[in-house]
Amino acid sequence: MKYRAEIDGLRALAVVPVILFHAGFELFSGGYVGVDVFFVISGYLITTILVEDIENNRFSLVNFYERRARRILPALFFVMLMCIPFAWMLMQPSQMKDFSQSLVAVSLFASNVLFWRESGYFDAAAEEKPLLHTWSLAVEEQYYVLFPIFLFLAWRYGKNRVFWMIVVMASISLLLSEWGWRNKPTANFYLAPARAWELLAGSIAAFVVQKRGVQNNDALSFLGLGAIIFAIFAYDETTPFPSLYALVPVLGVVLLVLYADKDTLAAKLLSTKAFVGIGLISYSAYLWHQPLFAFARIRQVGLPSDIVMILLSLVSMIFAYFSWKFIENGFRNKLRIRKKLIFLISFLGFFAFVLFGLFGHYKGDYLNAGKWNPYNLALGAYISDNRSLQKESWNLLRELSNDKNYTVEDNEFDDRLWFDLSMDSQRLFLIGNSHSKDIFNILSQSDLVLSQFQVARYGAKISDLNSHHRMWSSKNYAAATHIVIATRYSDKDLDRLSMTVEKMLNDKKRVFIVKSIFEFPGEASGYSLIDKVVYQNANLTPPQISSLVNRAYFDYYKSSTNNPSRSSNLRLMEISERYNVPLLNRMDYVCDDAVEQCFAVDDDLSKNFYDYGHHTLSGSTYFSNSVLLPKFLMKLTDIDNNE
């Protein structure tokens, strides 16, 4: 295949925006399209190589996979190896377990599947995953495994028919991506079926170039260059992707491939030494930037400054140069490293990373990770690892259901009868997302509640409770006397809530709505206001720090005028008045105006929150015994007392 310098220049145009996007610079809000540029380039180059090999009767899967192994694996393995000690030093135990799992997934060309499956309630912060960017490598690797086999088997039907087969497959994939962003956005982003059309667009371009050659057309080549640049600066994280929007950068690359002959202005620009030089090291630069950014964000207390991120971007380029010069080029030398050796190294690398990854995931406690994490402080009962506290908060329901995977919704156990119908007590049925778990944990440990009620839970989004939802036919709903709706209300939840309440009232249920909890700073995937105050006052005793934390939470509660829960609670008040349904306010048990405290921690710094508003398991125990809890329950218990 004839070398095209402008293709290397195009790689530079892809990798720089990706790095600056991941660094957090808003100017490059659509920098993620650089990945799509890489996909088209890969599809073009791989198809060109394969077609030439098939037509010249030198096609060999072994030789093809050898070339891919030399190109991809040495630099990838080196970066993975360098990540391990920093992960062990800086990551929280829960993060270390997830990182270990990603080592396995990357080694098996399945990291895109892993990160898709990890997304959701228990997801770690994307910015703190050192190997998150390997999802795109997995998509390409899956293409490398399947496409050569397809091409070889389909070639018997003739080159022209193979071309149209690829066009049809690309069209189906494009339509799938357009459907996917509306219905399964996370799967659509990570998984190969919705990305295949971008690689196949490169394959289509390869067939056209082989038939007609690269054309000289300044207008069309500049249009292609402009399309890519437009997407980089005009798109942002709200742009549905991949979708028809991705056609802009993808067709931009295709136009450059087809019409950027070496004499065009676009090709001359992309063929300059600066562009080609960055393009040559683009693969290594892509590998290095995300781990550098992730570990900096883990190590830094607060977000790293723009200067730090610029410096890290430059460092990723420096690392990339040495990685390209000594590792990539070294392993491409077939005289120094023979075919058998490259396959042996690949196998040993796979085996070692899978073995270490499995050990880290299942026996991660033995690694004692996070000793150099700035939040790793030995202060009373303080635990900085919020994700471990998040997972622990489900233990009551997981023990009750005997299901270690019991989670927010879609649990088989929720369809079974929890209540003992032979008992005379009232039957309280909680419905909602993870916040209904928090209320269940409190009520199921409260002597006051258990003296009057049995308590059960059904995990579901309120927005999903249409007339056909299986919750309506569940045994617990049928037996329930009291329904308590507790969730973090989205607009879709609120749109559905009136119908839901009306049906429950028609079914002769006593309905109560728990307001959205006031939201404090913090996420389970990172750190909260608790952690910030503890870190800033680590020289004090736990009781002293506890007082400062709880006062900081109270001050935030009283001073915040635009809390995310405010708008949803206003709509809940309207629904409450319309249907005469009581509202319960969780802040009644969280905060005490008399002492000017919101009880985010206990005196020993045991956390009651692991994020903006979810309770830890110890927190639910704390609140179940709180003298403030009767105030929260007053409307619920008064109805029964006044009968």
Side-chain angles (χ1 to χ4, degrees), residues 76-87:
L76 175 62
F77 284 169
F78 182 69
V79 171
M80 290 167 67
L81 183 64
M82 291 297 101
C83 284
I84 291 174
F86 289 96

Side-chain angles (χ1 to χ4, degrees), residues 5 8-13 15-16 268-282 317:
D8 274 328
L10 193 53
R11 285 192 174 109
L13 187 61
V15 76
V16 172
K268 288 178 180 179
L269 174 63
L270 292 173
S271 300
T272 58
K273 287 186 177 180
F275 274 96
V276 172
I278 295 173
L280 289 172
I281 65 171
S282 60
M317 288 295 183

